[in-house]
Amino acid sequence: MKRKAIFPGTFDPFTIGHYSLVKRSLELVDEIVIAIGVNDTKKTYFPLDKRIDMIRSLYTEDNRIEVGTYDSLTVDYAKETGSNFIIRGIRSVNDFEYEKTIADMNRNISGIETIVLFTEPELTHISSTIVRELLRFGHDVSQFIPKGMSLD
């Protein structure tokens, strides 16, 4: 049986932290769906189509990765894609508390396990929120996004 996981997030934008988690997760699972959550009440910096294109461009040569979108419960989308795992990254103790609660609930209602990976120490300061803030003020963010990903 293939081990398939979803990696959910807004990915606004996809950072080198996200890229690292996908790379490391491929050591644990056979396929990953990078699942862009759509929340119409949340204002994003990049439109959904742009985020899809940015991420797909990184993985055009890797058939183990697909990119999808969803506007439902994460576990429902996981089931829809045939995924039996959810991948989450943790940067801090605060992240741990939140992710543990969600993982416990997801397992309880669906049986889907969450794989938690700790962010590499040199990447813990990077978040999409901070990258968006830098972009808003016209700063170069190339060191925080994967090589080969264009924000244009």
Side-chain angles (χ1 to χ4, degrees):
M1 182 170 127
K2 279 197 174 184
R3 294 166 301 170
K4 188 172 183 179
I6 65 167
F7 178 34
T10 306
F11 305 116
D12 186 34
F14 195 78
T15 68
I16 57 175
H18 298 130
Y19 188 80
S20 169
L21 287 171
V22 169
K23 181 180 176 184
R24 292 167 52 212
S25 295
L26 286 170
E27 299 292 322
L28 305 171
V29 299
D30 303 308
E31 296 177 10
I32 297 174
V33 178
I34 299 172
I36 303 172
V38 177
N39 180 343
D40 291 334
T41 64
K42 191 172 184 180
K43 177 136 175 53
T44 58
Y45 188 87
F46 291 100
L48 179 61
D49 288 345
K50 177 63 178 168
R51 287 179 279 149
I52 293 167
D53 291 344
M54 287 189 296
I55 298 168
R56 278 191 180 145
S57 72
L58 292 171
Y59 298 103
T60 55
E61 303 295 317
D62 194 336
N63 61 2
R64 300 171 298 169
I65 306 290
E66 61 184 88
V67 180
T69 64
Y70 70 104
D71 62 358
S72 59
L73 283 176
T74 300
V75 292
D76 291 341
Y77 186 66
K79 286 181 178 181
E80 184 181 316
T81 62
S83 298
N84 35 8
F85 300 102
I86 297 170
I87 296 168
R88 298 298 295 164
I90 292 183
R91 289 184 307 239
S92 68
V93 172
N94 291 341
D95 286 353
F96 179 82
E97 293 290 334
Y98 173 78
E99 294 297 343
K100 182 184 180 324
T101 301
I102 299 299
D104 289 344
M105 183 59 71
N106 286 340
R107 185 182 331 94
N108 183 270
I109 66 173
S110 71
I112 294 175
E113 289 288 349
T114 299
I115 298 171
V116 174
L117 295 175
F118 292 95
T119 303
E120 295 172 286
E122 65 273 15
L123 302 177
T124 57
H125 65 289
I126 300 169
S127 72
S128 292
T129 303
I130 292 171
V131 172
R132 282 193 309 273
E133 188 74 4
L134 292 170
L135 285 167
R136 281 191 185 98
F137 288 98
H139 284 266
D140 175 29
V141 297
S142 58
Q143 64 182 315
F144 306 119
I145 61 171
K147 289 185 185 348
M149 189 177 88
S150 172
L151 298 179
D152 299 328

